[in-house]
Amino acid sequence: MRQRLAFALGYLRNPRHVGAIAPASRALAQAILDEVLRNDARVLIEVGAGTGAITRALVPALERLERFVVIERDPGFARLLSTAFPGLEVLNRCASSVDQLPLHAHDPVTVVSSLPLLSMPKAEVQKCVAAILLLMAHRPGSRLIQYTYAAPHLRPFANIPYGWRWRRVASVWANLPPATVWSLEQTPRGISIVH
Ligand SMILES: C[S@@+](CC[C@H](N)C(=O)[O-])C[C@H]1O[C@@H](n2cnc3c(N)ncnc32)[C@H](O)[C@@H]1O
């Protein structure tokens, strides 16, 4: 209940950046956890964590991780996340700085993004997407898991680098609004895809 209230207040503070009227449902958070557990990257980075509905579901993945970094630009949400998850690295900053994180070179990362790409200012979307792609570029086996509220066939963003593809992971109807979970990952060798 408190989480919902905090979320609604965050939405009133900044509707374009929050981009949804309710936190992620358990069904959506579970779909994302299932996808995170599909590979063995030992660094997990969540961007745009809001009130932590997905963060909470991802905590069980901690036992197989070396690092779990949470990035949230809203100071009120970031405070809430630091209090709720004292064991995680919560950073109150823009996701466009994700490529500056001090990480071991070449270690694969999984990025989970709740960034509302359709409602955020375009220039900010470009900076955040560029930083995420740069972070993943030299780390084979990295993935971006992004969910959207758009029509299920619409990919989160276009102009992805050669050798990468979007895979639709799940449609989650039990969410307000219904969501589609996508994974941006390297194309398996031998398959060429026209974007
Ligand atoms: C859809 S809400 C997150 C919902 C979250 N999964 C939950 O259920 O509480 C999007 C979040 O992204 C954050 N955000 C928006 N732009 C951001 C940016 N450039 N960098 C980091 N966080 C950002 C917003 O402050 C908001 O908390």
Side-chain angles (χ1 to χ4, degrees):
M1 193 62 201
R2 275 165 68 184
Q3 194 188 22
R4 281 183 176 272
L5 180 62
F7 196 93
L9 292 174
Y11 180 77
L12 292 176
R13 273 198 303 275
N14 204 336
R16 284 186 77 187
H17 278 104
V18 173
I21 50 170
S25 65
R26 281 197 195 160
L28 176 56
Q30 182 65 47
I32 291 173
L33 172 65
D34 292 345
E35 186 55 28
V36 165
L37 296 177
R38 278 189 74 246
N39 86 349
D40 48 13
R42 295 174 64 84
V43 179
L44 178 60
I45 303 170
E46 185 186 4
V47 293
T51 52
I54 292 176
T55 320
R56 187 162 293 105
L58 293 175
V59 164
L62 258 178
E63 62 187 36
R64 42 192 282 184
L65 296 173
E66 269 165 25
R67 282 181 77 177
F68 183 175
V69 183
V70 178
I71 296 181
E72 169 54 56
R73 80 189 283 282
D74 180 276
F77 285 161
R79 264 194 305 278
L80 205 83
L81 290 161
S82 299
T83 308
F85 306 104
L88 303 185
E89 289 177 66
V90 177
L91 305 176
N92 178 208
R93 58 169 78 156
C94 179
S96 60
S97 64
V98 72
D99 58 319
Q100 311 291 320
L101 285 174
L103 299 174
H104 293 302
H106 310 303
D107 280 359
V109 296
T110 302
V111 180
V112 168
S113 167
S114 298
L115 295 177
L117 301 175
L118 292 180
S119 61
M120 282 163 62
K122 289 259 174 311
E124 190 175 327
V125 171
Q126 279 171 3
K127 283 187 200 158
C128 292
V129 166
I132 293 170
L133 293 177
L134 193 59
L135 174 78
M136 299 198 304
H138 302 295
R139 296 185 163 85
S142 294
R143 288 180 309 152
L144 165 65
I145 301 170
Q146 170 80 52
Y147 63 89
T148 66
Y149 299 131
H153 65 281
L154 289 178
R155 286 148 179 74
F157 53 85
N159 300 325
I160 57 177
Y162 183 78
W164 292 74
R165 65 162 186 187
W166 284 111
R167 180 172 57 81
R168 188 164 50 221
V169 169
S171 292
V172 182
W173 301 103
N175 192 72
L176 191 66
T180 306
V181 182
W182 292 88
S183 172
L184 180 64
E185 52 199 29
Q186 274 144 331
T187 312
R189 273 191 208 160
I191 301 179
S192 75
I193 289 186
V194 178
H195 303 293

